[in-house]
Amino acid sequence: MTKTSSFSAPKGIPDYVPPGSAEFVAVRDGLVNAARLAGYGHIELPVFEDTALFARGVGESTDVVAKEMYTFPDRGDRSVTLRPEGTAGVMRAVIEHGLDRGQLPVKVSYAGPFFRYERPQAGRYRQLQQVGVEAIGIDDPALDAEVIAVADAGFRALGLTGFRLELTSLGDSTCRPQYRELLQEFLFALPLDEETKRRAQLNPLRVLDDKREEVRALTANAPLMIDHLSESAKEHFDQVLGYLDALGVPYVVNPRMVRGLDYYTKTTFEFVHDGLGAQSGIGGGGRYDGLMQELGGQPLSGIGFGLGVDRTMLALAAEGKSAGDSSRCEVFGVPLGEAARQHMVVLAARLRAEGIRVDLAYGGRGVKGSMKAADRSGAKFTLVLGDRDLFEGSIGLKDMATGEQRQVALADVLAEIRTAVAAAD
Ligand code: HAM
């Protein structure tokens, strides 16, 4: 038997522990709030679903489905998969609950963990956190612009500035098949290796995304979708760009952009941050015309995004910024003596009832140990109460920023703390 002396989190799966977890919460909530401001309702979905849902929805030829899914039989021998992304699950739920038969567009947002068995590295995890939105049922360029602008606003509200938005159009069902043939004709004429030829057969667009220098050189003059858009796809894309201009959302058109999921049509975009190294995509999304029908629903179009919370945290750190307040509490209570402790416990509960974050020194650590704990807590104010103070009806209030301490009447302490905390904000 092997002896296990300690456990660690599974490979490539991050923990979010205090104080850093405050940054995680602030980033996630900041991005969710941007969606809420645009009227997206919360949707909470299962963390695992039928394997076939993702195989069909995301696409069998994608790396995500072919190589990265956590798929296993459950105890009833059904094949289930930990969700690798959110869009397919949203479609399933929208169809199942008939939301697509109500008011359109259906606008939902979600936040949570997704699972991809990728090679872990900086910014690439096997459990990743996303905030996503989907707007389903209306094919309007203004909606594309809204989705993009919501992501842009979410990043900016967190203080992030060093990112760029890249977008393109992947065409629609009228121009995409013709373009695919054109691209394949071009690729088949190139001296490509067998593996790449196979990829050209299966998913020619992906060859344009090949990172190898020699393949890049060979495909430098490849035909691009953006030059072969149907009239209506071109008109749609031009209108999206027009709205983005009007909204003041900066962008660059990148006609060689290739996304890792198969369902995209028309507007497709990615937010890229240069401070992150290889894993530079902090978010991405696009329109998906055929997905809902593919999953058994009505032929409705949709558009959405998934923003990477982990990578957004790294991007903020790369910019030397922080979105979260890592202090656990605003006020820290130091009781010195048994009677003082009893009083302090109740006082802390009353302050908390007013919405003030309060922590206490536990375990009778003495003045020195307790004041050290107060320091470490990051609290703005410390309340110091000895049995004697209690007898005299006063309490010490220390401003941790200035180090100043004064005695205030116990009867006034709630009001004093309220004012002090408000003034310190
Ligand atoms: P995605 O581009 O595969 O799109 O993922 C969205 C974002 O999730 C990425 O831009 C990245 O920030 C983050 N992400 C992806 N994989 C990892 C990883 N292994 N580690 C850390 N972060 C990661 C989707 O998932 C689509 N469902 C987005 C969408 C919604 N399209 C339309 N609607």
Side-chain angles (χ1 to χ4, degrees):
M1 215 168 74
T2 15
K3 186 167 163 269
T4 312
S5 57
S6 62
F7 293 105
S8 47
K11 192 172 172 212
I13 303 212
D15 287 315
Y16 306 88
V17 299
S21 52
E23 184 74 5
F24 167 74
V25 171
V27 168
R28 182 195 59 195
D29 292 357
L31 297 175
V32 168
N33 191 47
R36 205 176 55 86
L37 287 173
Y40 289 77
H42 180 74
I43 188 165
E44 190 72 41
L45 294 173
V47 164
F48 64 87
E49 303 240 16
D50 240 337
T51 300
L53 172 69
F54 300 116
R56 187 104 71 82
V58 178
E60 306 264 12
S61 75
T62 61
D63 279 356
V64 169
V65 169
K67 302 183 193 156
E68 297 168 2
M69 295 209 298
Y70 279 87
T71 297
F72 53 94
D74 72 3
R75 286 179 183 271
D77 229 17
R78 300 171 197 89
S79 181
V80 293
T81 293
L82 299 185
R83 58 183 187 185
E85 62 96 51
T87 313
V90 169
M91 289 308 120
R92 195 264 312 141
V94 165
I95 298 167
E96 188 170 337
H97 298 279
L99 302 186
D100 53 327
R101 306 202 176 265
Q103 165 116 328
L104 297 178
V106 177
K107 290 170 75 171
V108 291
S109 77
Y110 49 89
F114 296 88
F115 305 86
R116 294 181 188 179
Y117 194 82
E118 294 190 82
R119 201 166 45 76
Q121 64 177 79
R124 188 163 69 194
Y125 308 121
R126 288 181 173 171
Q127 177 178 305
L128 56 119
Q129 300 278 344
Q130 274 186 19
V131 168
V133 306
E134 312 295 345
I136 304 143
I138 302 270
D139 189 356
D140 181 343
L143 196 53
D144 301 37
E146 174 186 283
V147 166
I148 292 170
V150 163
D152 182 78
F155 289 135
R156 287 185 200 284
L158 295 171
L160 207 62
T161 50
F163 63 89
R164 71 178 174 280
L165 161 65
E166 297 188 353
L167 79 168
T168 191
S169 172
L170 292 180
D172 58 23
S173 58
T174 58
C175 54
R176 177 92 149 258
Q178 283 165 22
Y179 166 71
R180 189 185 149 101
E181 264 176 42
L182 193 70
L183 179 59
Q184 278 178 330
E185 221 169 274
F186 174 88
L187 293 174
F188 291 157
L190 298 177
L192 296 168
D193 59 274
E194 283 311 309
E195 172 65 31
T196 314
K197 272 192 193 146
R198 238 193 322 275
R199 203 162 339 130
Q201 185 75 50
L202 204 65
N203 195 335
L205 263 182
R206 202 141 305 147
V207 180
L208 297 185
D209 193 36
D210 201 305
K211 302 283 181 281
R212 289 170 300 176
E213 268 314 314
E214 62 275 19
V215 181
R216 283 196 167 266
L218 284 171
T219 59
N221 295 320
L224 297 171
M225 180 74 251
I226 201 133
D227 299 323
H228 298 271
L229 293 176
S230 67
E231 193 104 332
S232 77
K234 181 163 181 1
E235 159 104 28
H236 184 101
F237 190 55
D238 287 345
Q239 284 193 37
V240 173
L241 300 186
Y243 281 115
L244 292 177
D245 288 336
L247 286 163
V249 173
Y251 59 83
V252 281
V253 175
N254 175 5
R256 296 180 78 94
M257 188 171 72
V258 176
R259 303 263 302 127
L261 311 164
D262 269 358
Y263 45 63
Y264 292 114
T265 52
K266 292 196 199 136
T267 316
T268 310
F269 56 92
E270 221 157 46
F271 288 87
V272 182
H273 196 286
D274 284 331
L276 294 189
Q279 303 308 314
S280 58
I282 55 172
R287 188 164 273 288
Y288 38 86
D289 278 347
L291 181 58
M292 187 166 231
Q293 200 171 19
E294 180 69 31
L295 296 176
Q298 305 185 67
L300 291 179
S301 169
I303 179 160
F305 64 58
L307 310 181
V309 176
D310 309 281
R311 289 191 193 162
T312 305
M313 286 168 71
L314 291 171
L316 278 168
E319 291 188 17
K321 291 171 186 157
S322 158
D325 170 5
S326 61
S327 64
R328 289 195 313 266
C329 55
E330 295 161 296
V331 176
F332 196 85
V334 173
L336 304 167
E338 199 36 51
R341 179 180 317 283
Q342 287 198 15
H343 193 92
M344 191 66 96
V345 165
V346 175
L347 179 56
R350 289 177 66 187
L351 286 166
R352 287 170 188 154
E354 298 210 11
I356 295 170
R357 284 179 287 136
V358 186
D359 197 5
L360 294 187
Y362 288 106
R365 268 182 279 190
V367 190
K368 223 168 139 195
S370 299
M371 290 313 283
K372 210 179 215 171
D375 250 344
R376 289 206 181 127
S377 74
K380 296 184 181 105
F381 300 97
T382 298
L383 288 168
V384 187
L385 185 66
D387 284 351
R388 196 176 155 164
D389 299 324
L390 192 58
F391 180 72
E392 288 170 357
S394 77
I395 186 167
L397 173 58
K398 182 172 178 183
D399 183 327
M400 301 302 278
T402 62
E404 242 170 73
Q405 183 169 331
R406 63 194 168 94
Q407 289 297 115
V408 303
L410 262 179
D412 299 336
V413 68
L414 280 180
E416 290 271 359
I417 288 279
R418 232 180 272 134
T419 321
V421 166
D425 262 349

